[in-house]
Structures are given as C-alpha cells and as structure tokens.
Amino acid sequence: MPKNKKESFIFTLMMCTIMVLVMTFYNMFRSHGTEGLIVQTLIGFPLGFVVAFVGDWFLVGPLAKKVAFKFVGHNDPVIKKALVISSCMVTGMVIYMSLFGAIMGVGFTEGLLMAWLINIPLNFIVALPLQLVVAGPIVRFGFSKVVAQAA
C-alpha cells in the first residue's frame, strides 16, 4: 500500500492504466461489438485515462478513503483495508466514469440521464471483480516491486 503522495501517485497511475484499458475495451465492445474493437479501445483510452486519473486523484479517491475508514481502522489487516478501499473506489469510479461514458455516447442530450443510469450497473458488475480479482492483485504486486527497487 502507498505510504506517501509520490507512492500514491505511482499506484494510481498503475491502477488507472489497467482499469481504464479493460473497462474501455468492455464498453467499446458493448457499444460497437467486435468491429474495430482494438482501434476503438486505443482511441478511447487516452481521454478516458485522463478523466479517470483526475477523478480518482482529486474527487473519488479522497472521498472513497474517508468512507472506507469508517468501516476499517488503521490497525486492521492490510487485506481488509485493501478490499474495503477498493470496493469504495470502484463504487465511486463507476458512478463517475459511467457519466463520462454516457456523455461520450449520447452527449448532452435528453438521453444522457438514462444512458448514465443504464451504464452504472453494467459497469459495476465488471469493474468490481476486475478490481478485486485481477487489477488489484496485479497492481499491488507490481507496486511492491517498483517501491522495493526505488528504496
């Protein structure tokens, strides 16, 4: 787990990269099927990454950690803290990024609210297991290697 702002920044970069790449792929598949899927994912990734990183760093991350630490204490096991924080982060980021996806999909039209509300559960059912089972363990492992080499 990150111990300072620099480590948090690195951790967030790593996590956003994996989560945004996979979720962009998933949402492009949902929207467009397999036609041009890789190209559409690569085109959508940079803007999605920037929006996700800014939202994570300045809005969702701080709020999710405040909420998470109402359920866990600093002396709880690391795995418990990681699971609770990850769950809170996923919830916040799904709400935030589903709005971004809805805006990109339908724009600021009368269909925006409905698109956003439809996107939230469809993204949540993929993002939570992705975070808890795939991205979280990979990033924590990679992060521990990066931090160990830097020390």
Side-chain angles (χ1 to χ4, degrees):
M1 298 293 283
K3 293 181 174 66
N4 56 48
K5 281 284 190 191
K6 179 182 175 186
E7 289 182 7
S8 290
F9 186 81
I10 293 167
F11 187 87
T12 303
L13 282 174
M14 294 170 72
M15 188 63 73
C16 274
T17 299
I18 292 175
M19 291 297 294
V20 172
L21 187 60
V22 174
M23 293 304 294
T24 301
F25 184 86
Y26 165 69
N27 280 293
M28 291 298 174
F29 176 75
R30 271 186 44 224
S31 298
H32 306 290
T34 57
E35 189 174 328
L37 182 58
I38 302 298
V39 172
Q40 289 298 324
T41 298
L42 293 175
I43 290 169
F45 174 77
L47 180 58
F49 176 83
V50 170
V51 170
F53 185 84
V54 168
D56 185 321
W57 191 256
F58 294 106
L59 178 68
V60 176
L63 182 60
K65 288 172 188 157
K66 283 181 187 176
V67 170
F69 282 109
K70 292 183 184 288
F71 298 99
V72 294
H74 290 283
N75 295 327
D76 282 334
V78 173
I79 189 67
K80 182 178 179 183
K81 288 191 279 191
L83 290 172
V84 172
I85 292 170
S86 292
S87 297
C88 291
M89 287 293 299
V90 166
T91 302
M93 288 302 290
V94 162
I95 293 167
Y96 173 77
M97 290 303 290
S98 291
L99 177 59
F100 169 73
I103 292 168
M104 296 304 293
V106 300
F108 291 98
T109 64
E110 63 186 35
L112 177 61
L113 179 61
M114 187 55 67
W116 183 30
L117 294 175
I118 289 169
N119 283 346
I120 291 170
L122 293 173
N123 285 323
F124 189 80
I125 62 172
V126 173
L128 187 62
L130 173 64
Q131 170 62 252
L132 296 178
V133 179
V134 180
I138 289 171
V139 170
R140 281 190 291 280
F141 176 79
F143 177 76
S144 69
K145 299 298 180 195
V146 169
V147 170
Q149 283 187 339

